[in-house]
Amino acid sequence: MNFGPRIMMLLTAAAVSVAGCGGGAEAATEVERSPAQRIRAVLGQAEDSGAVLPLTAGDTVTVLPATAEFYRRLRFRPAWIPEDDELDRARVLHAAIGRAVEDGLDPKRYGHDVAAQLIGMLTSEDSGLDEPARAGYLADLDMILSEGFMRYATDIVLGAIAPDSVGRAWRIPRGAAPGYTVLRSAFRGGDPAEIIRRLRPRTPYYGRMMAALARLQQVQEAGGWAPLPEDASVEEGDSSAIVVALRERLSRSDDPREAQLARSGASRAAVYDRDLRDALRHFQERHAIDDDGRLGANTLRELNHPVDERIAEVKLNLDRWRWLPQDLGRLFILVNIAGFELEVVENDRAIESMNVVVGKDGWNTPVFADTMEHLVLNPYWTPPPSILEEEILPAMARDPGYLARNNFERARDGTIRQRPGRRNALGQYKFLFPNEDNIYLHDTPADHLFSRARRDFSHGCIRLERPADLARLVVTKATAHTPTAMEAMLGTGSEKWIALKRPIPVYIVYFTTWVREDGTLRFHHDVYGHNEDLEAETDELNEEGATQRATAR
């Protein structure tokens, strides 16, 4: 929907006549004396997807095909405006659209503010509207509510931003756009809020992030928090104005534990006591900073992000959840690149989690989904051409004994591969889910990297902190073997392949905010800089209001 300043000026007027409708007089002709006639006159021409249609006020609305189909099936009768002219049903749908804020979406995108002004004008005792004008505005309200709710439902299923619109490769199947049945369900008496609830991602991760957004919005409504001086520093036992400011900052946190710890020493607010230190360490841990309880540069930077920026980041990541399929499966593996974490989820509960190492700058781990089909024990490692050309061949040129010393051999086809063993780059476990980038999960001999807060060190594949635990889980859940049998195969030292009888979906995703099962909201580093383009796209969306972008879906 595109609503320019004309409709805003029009709807705030105390009395409106047909002659003052900026083109509405011509649109609301003598023939269009009822809302149904008006809707037919407008939508009867909406044969093509995304047709731009005139409103009585002189502005336009681009109607989704699903909305036009809904009205065609109603024979262009109004859906929310009964013959007695009462607006009760319209108010219910309008209220549901207003709750888009709970999903991190702007209700203005769905014409909520314009519909509110129309409702106010139509229910005013001194509106001064004659019959043709009233019919026109009732029809417009009906269409605006239908189109707004349809777009809201579409954004819940597909996301408000399309990842490919900002040049992001997204190789995870997305859901299909909802059809006119969304509107039909509401028309037949279904609760619009419940209809939206059923369309949301089914994973509890989404609901937890909605709850985290609500907490941040409460902090925002309470005034947010003040930044600390850039040169601030504290040590345990210090007593200073900086400690007071730090205590106040953490007391206003959206995290209940953090806030409680910070407030516990309020009677001696200037003293940097153990509870305040623990509050700061908790803050550091959930912002991917080494939790040393000190006010270093990284900690100050994270503390000084305004609450508005935190809200924007959570909203962006809520949209990322909407890019995923609504149902991820009963058992699946989720790798969050930005969080350097892996979780195995079964029946909506994380049954295993561990740290991971992902691709470094220039060797970015891609976002995609596939299905795990094999577990390989004692794997050979065949270096990909890029690593072979950039690292191994130059090393061989400098040192003729490089291959033998690092347990490499030439296979029968002439390729270079590394034999199974302790020094093998893949360790003892390799988890395969065929994909065009040849990305997989694997063990590593370089286990010291998992203790670092930032873990982007690989050439794109994903190294596991506790591969043996994942292997035992996969064998138990998805194969005909037992962990004991797996250990026996591992003990042979020879490469062994185990096929999964129950393939496991694997989602390699990128979330810079994450909410744990206990409700703790974590912020991760934007290691690949993906947020910047998406934030610009979000700003553009908000500036446009009810954008027409969705018509291209």
Side-chain angles (χ1 to χ4, degrees):
M1 305 174 196
N2 265 335
F3 299 103
R6 288 175 297 169
I7 195 169
M8 294 304 178
M9 291 169 26
L10 170 77
L11 295 177
T12 54
V16 183
S17 67
V18 177
C21 291
E26 181 179 348
T29 64
E30 291 296 316
V31 178
E32 299 166 17
R33 287 188 176 275
S34 73
Q37 290 171 331
R38 170 66 182 156
I39 292 171
R40 180 181 293 276
V42 172
L43 290 182
Q45 59 185 292
E47 297 297 332
D48 299 327
S49 171
V52 178
L53 309 171
L55 295 176
T56 301
D59 289 272
T60 60
V61 57
T62 301
V63 177
L64 290 171
T67 305
E69 177 65 15
F70 170 66
Y71 279 108
R72 277 194 289 270
R73 289 175 178 267
L74 283 181
R75 298 185 179 180
F76 301 104
R77 290 178 290 119
W80 323 111
I81 313 298
E83 292 181 1
D84 61 9
D85 216 24
E86 292 294 327
L87 300 182
D88 291 347
R89 298 196 72 196
R91 292 180 193 276
V92 170
L93 194 63
H94 182 249
I97 294 170
R99 294 181 65 179
V101 293
E102 298 174 5
D103 292 281
L105 298 167
D106 187 350
K108 290 181 181 179
R109 174 170 163 79
Y110 313 112
H112 184 264
D113 54 339
V114 176
Q117 295 180 70
L118 279 169
I119 290 171
M121 182 180 65
L122 288 165
T123 55
S124 172
E125 294 182 358
D126 57 350
S127 66
L129 294 173
D130 62 17
E131 183 181 347
R134 185 172 186 82
Y137 288 121
L138 284 168
D140 286 358
L141 174 61
D142 205 88
M143 290 185 286
I144 287 168
L145 289 173
S146 294
E147 179 62 16
F149 190 68
M150 193 68 243
R151 286 185 182 272
Y152 179 20
T154 301
D155 285 352
I156 287 295
V157 173
L158 298 180
I161 302 171
D164 51 6
S165 70
V166 290
R168 297 295 175 219
W170 186 261
R171 298 201 303 276
I172 300 179
R174 300 170 70 197
Y180 77 94
T181 55
V182 166
L183 289 169
R184 184 181 66 183
S185 296
F187 175 72
R188 290 181 174 178
D191 179 3
E194 177 62 17
I195 292 169
I196 292 295
R197 188 194 67 78
R198 292 198 301 265
L199 291 174
R200 288 185 179 121
R202 292 174 186 165
T203 172
Y205 290 95
Y206 188 83
R208 293 200 292 264
M209 198 170 288
M210 286 179 66
L213 174 63
R215 292 197 303 271
L216 280 167
Q217 289 169 334
Q218 289 173 355
V219 172
Q220 182 186 49
E221 291 169 4
W225 49 66
L228 298 174
E230 293 183 2
D231 59 349
S233 64
V234 294
E235 297 286 344
E236 189 167 356
D238 281 358
S239 180
S240 67
I242 292 298
V243 176
V244 175
L246 176 62
R247 189 180 299 280
E248 174 67 13
R249 164 64 182 87
L250 294 177
S251 294
R252 290 178 170 268
S253 172
D254 60 287
D255 185 271
R257 180 184 172 192
E258 228 162 70
Q260 182 180 15
L261 284 168
R263 292 170 186 152
S264 67
S267 61
R268 301 174 67 215
V271 177
Y272 188 59
D273 56 18
R274 180 172 297 179
D275 282 348
L276 184 55
R277 182 203 62 185
D278 289 346
L280 182 59
R281 292 184 64 184
H282 182 67
F283 175 90
Q284 290 172 321
E285 190 276 332
R286 70 185 189 93
H287 287 79
I289 306 169
D290 290 330
D291 56 343
D292 58 8
R294 297 176 180 274
L295 279 180
N298 291 336
T299 301
L300 279 168
R301 183 177 61 249
E302 297 300 324
L303 282 166
N304 287 343
H305 276 291
V307 67
D308 292 359
E309 290 184 8
R310 292 308 190 193
I311 287 173
E313 190 171 353
V314 171
K315 287 180 177 180
L316 186 153
N317 283 278
L318 272 167
D319 212 43
R320 283 182 167 123
W321 279 113
R322 295 188 287 263
W323 297 351
L324 292 168
Q326 186 188 41
D327 188 353
L328 300 178
R330 191 174 71 84
L331 174 69
F332 60 90
I333 295 173
L334 201 60
V335 177
N336 182 16
I337 298 168
F340 313 115
E341 291 178 319
L342 173 147
E343 290 190 353
V344 182
V345 180
E346 184 175 37
N347 296 327
D348 292 336
R349 295 294 305 274
I351 60 173
E352 181 61 89
S353 62
M354 65 185 69
N355 293 333
V356 300
V357 169
V358 301
K360 57 188 174 183
D361 186 33
W363 297 83
N364 296 7
T365 300
V367 173
F368 70 100
D370 220 301
T371 304
M372 186 180 295
E373 298 177 357
H374 290 91
L375 164 62
V376 184
L377 306 176
N378 301 317
Y380 281 92
W381 177 50
T382 301
S386 54
I387 296 178
L388 189 67
E389 293 174 6
E390 295 179 20
E391 298 181 20
I392 294 178
L393 293 180
M396 291 170 58
R398 293 190 301 269
D399 178 6
Y402 176 84
L403 291 183
R405 190 169 56 258
N406 289 279
N407 207 27
F408 282 96
E409 67 179 15
R410 289 191 180 273
R412 292 180 180 179
D413 60 1
T415 59
I416 294 174
R417 65 180 185 177
Q418 192 175 36
R419 302 182 188 91
R422 292 183 178 180
R423 291 187 298 170
N424 185 283
L426 306 184
Q428 293 182 293
Y429 305 92
K430 178 181 178 182
F431 303 82
L432 290 177
F433 37 101
N435 58 86
E436 62 185 67
D437 294 296
N438 196 29
I439 299 295
Y440 44 84
L441 311 177
H442 66 88
D443 185 7
T444 175
D447 55 6
H448 63 284
L449 297 175
F450 294 106
S451 62
R452 300 191 183 183
R454 178 164 174 162
R455 297 183 291 276
D456 50 331
F457 301 110
S458 81
H459 289 88
C461 285
I462 298 155
R463 305 175 191 174
L464 304 173
E465 181 182 31
R466 292 183 286 101
D469 291 345
L470 181 61
R472 282 190 288 269
L473 188 151
V474 167
V475 165
T476 301
K477 298 285 185 181
T479 78
H481 299 279
T482 64
T484 301
M486 181 192 73
E487 293 292 340
M489 286 186 276
L490 198 64
T492 67
S494 300
E495 185 177 82
K496 303 289 183 183
W497 286 57
I498 299 176
L500 274 60
K501 293 187 176 294
R502 176 190 177 187
I504 302 175
V506 179
Y507 300 92
I508 313 296
V509 294
Y510 190 96
F511 287 93
T512 56
T513 66
W514 193 265
V515 185
R516 291 175 172 168
E517 288 186 6
D518 64 1
T520 299
L521 172 61
R522 304 192 69 213
F523 289 91
H524 300 307
H525 302 297
D526 184 18
V527 288
Y528 296 158
H530 289 347
N531 280 3
E532 185 174 348
D533 291 337
L534 292 173
E535 286 166 354
E537 187 82 354
T538 300
D539 291 342
E540 184 179 341
L541 266 181
N542 292 336
E543 289 172 5
E544 290 178 358
T547 180
Q548 310 309 315
R549 194 182 313 266
T551 59
R553 291 181 173 130

